[in-house]
Amino acid sequence: KQEVTQIPAALSVPEGENLVLNCSFTDSAIYNLQWFRQDPGKGLTSLLLIQSSQREQTSGRLNASLDKSSGRSTLYIAASQPGDSATYLCAPRGGTSYGKLTFGQGTILTVHP
Amino acid sequence: GAVVSQHPSRVICKSGTSVKIECRSLDFQATTMFWYRQFPKQSLMLMATSNEGSKATYEQGVEKDKFLINHASLTLSTLTVTSAHPEDSSFYICSASRARENGYTFGSGTRLTVV
């Protein structure tokens, strides 16, 4: 059974800092991995998708890396802004045809002006 | 991109009544959709896998007679909470994927409050 751990559980930083959010998973037989953002009371917004054959993906100030063999993924956020405040979730997708996503508890990020 | 629409966004119902939540894939066909439940300050818990034209697959501990899932077309899955009770109050979210190599897209969620 896949288990996902995200560290830190919460992070509070001043605006402008570069951030690192960590995700580890126990079963490396994944098809891909997604990073999501969830604002309070809202659904999930997909930030980045990394296929199992890829090492990293970038979108704007966001960069996600994947080390499938060691069961780790990292989300880098450059020059953080107050609008980045949200809960960030990583979710590896199982390797079967309709592989399920497994979620960690998330990292609650607060960026102060 | 892939769009998933979920309705209603918020519903309040009386204890003992049933509530239906709809999840639609707007610009793609989804033979499989997923239903999640999220309690305050907790992560998403997968409830069931909705399969077009066949019975849903429920996760361990989820009552299939309470949470009825119907996936009658390639673009619509519904979750009906039957005989709702206050403990069923939660945030329910659906998701679907256009293809295996694509990521999952989530609906905007439904906040259910049972009074």
Side-chain angles (χ1 to χ4, degrees):
Chain A
K1 178 184 175 184
Q2 180 76 276
E3 293 182 1
V4 179
T5 302
Q6 290 189 243
I7 295 174
L11 189 59
S12 181
V13 300
E15 182 176 8
E17 283 204 0
N18 298 325
L19 309 174
V20 176
L21 280 59
N22 297 292
C23 170
S24 61
F25 47 94
T26 56
D27 185 353
S28 62
I30 64 171
Y31 192 74
N32 55 40
L33 181 144
Q34 275 181 277
W35 280 91
F36 294 91
R37 165 187 176 137
Q38 185 176 30
D39 293 288
K42 304 294 184 183
L44 275 64
T45 300
S46 182
L47 298 173
L48 289 165
L49 168 68
I50 312 177
Q51 303 296 341
S52 61
S53 59
Q54 297 176 322
R55 296 287 291 183
E56 67 178 83
Q57 279 287 332
T58 298
S59 175
R61 295 183 293 109
L62 305 179
N63 175 279
S65 65
L66 174 64
D67 184 342
K68 179 184 169 182
S69 60
S70 68
R72 295 183 182 184
S73 179
T74 302
L75 179 67
Y76 299 88
I77 303 176
S80 59
Q81 302 172 357
D84 295 330
S85 298
T87 297
Y88 290 80
L89 298 159
C90 83
R93 178 173 183 168
T96 58
S97 295
Y98 287 103
K100 304 172 186 178
L101 294 181
T102 302
F103 286 90
Q105 291 298 311
T107 293
I108 302 172
L109 173 64
T110 304
V111 181
H112 301 285
Chain B
V3 179
V4 173
S5 174
Q6 186 174 341
H7 293 281
S9 58
R10 186 179 297 269
V11 59
I12 300 173
C13 70
K14 292 184 177 181
S15 186
T17 62
S18 296
V19 174
K20 180 184 286 187
I21 303 169
E22 292 188 348
C23 181
R24 294 180 184 272
S25 55
L26 298 186
D27 54 353
F28 66 101
Q29 294 180 333
T31 55
T32 301
M33 293 184 176
F34 296 90
W35 287 95
Y36 295 83
R37 183 174 183 176
Q38 186 177 35
F39 290 105
K41 300 189 183 302
Q42 294 189 23
S43 192
L44 281 76
M45 180 192 78
L46 179 65
M47 297 176 66
T49 302
S50 174
N51 304 300
E52 188 269 334
S54 64
K55 292 182 179 180
T57 304
Y58 291 81
E59 296 298 302
Q60 190 173 8
V62 177
E63 299 177 61
K64 60 182 180 181
D65 293 331
K66 165 164 278 294
F67 300 102
L68 299 179
I69 291 173
N70 184 276
H71 195 152
S73 77
L74 288 172
T75 59
L76 174 64
S77 175
T78 60
L79 168 67
T80 301
V81 183
T82 63
S83 187
H85 292 284
E87 57 265 31
D88 298 324
S89 298
S90 191
F91 192 58
Y92 295 87
I93 316 177
C94 68
S95 74
S97 177
R98 183 191 295 271
R100 187 182 176 193
E101 60 271 19
N102 298 117
Y104 279 100
T105 300
F106 282 75
S108 56
T110 297
R111 172 72 59 193
L112 170 64
T113 303
V114 184
V115 298

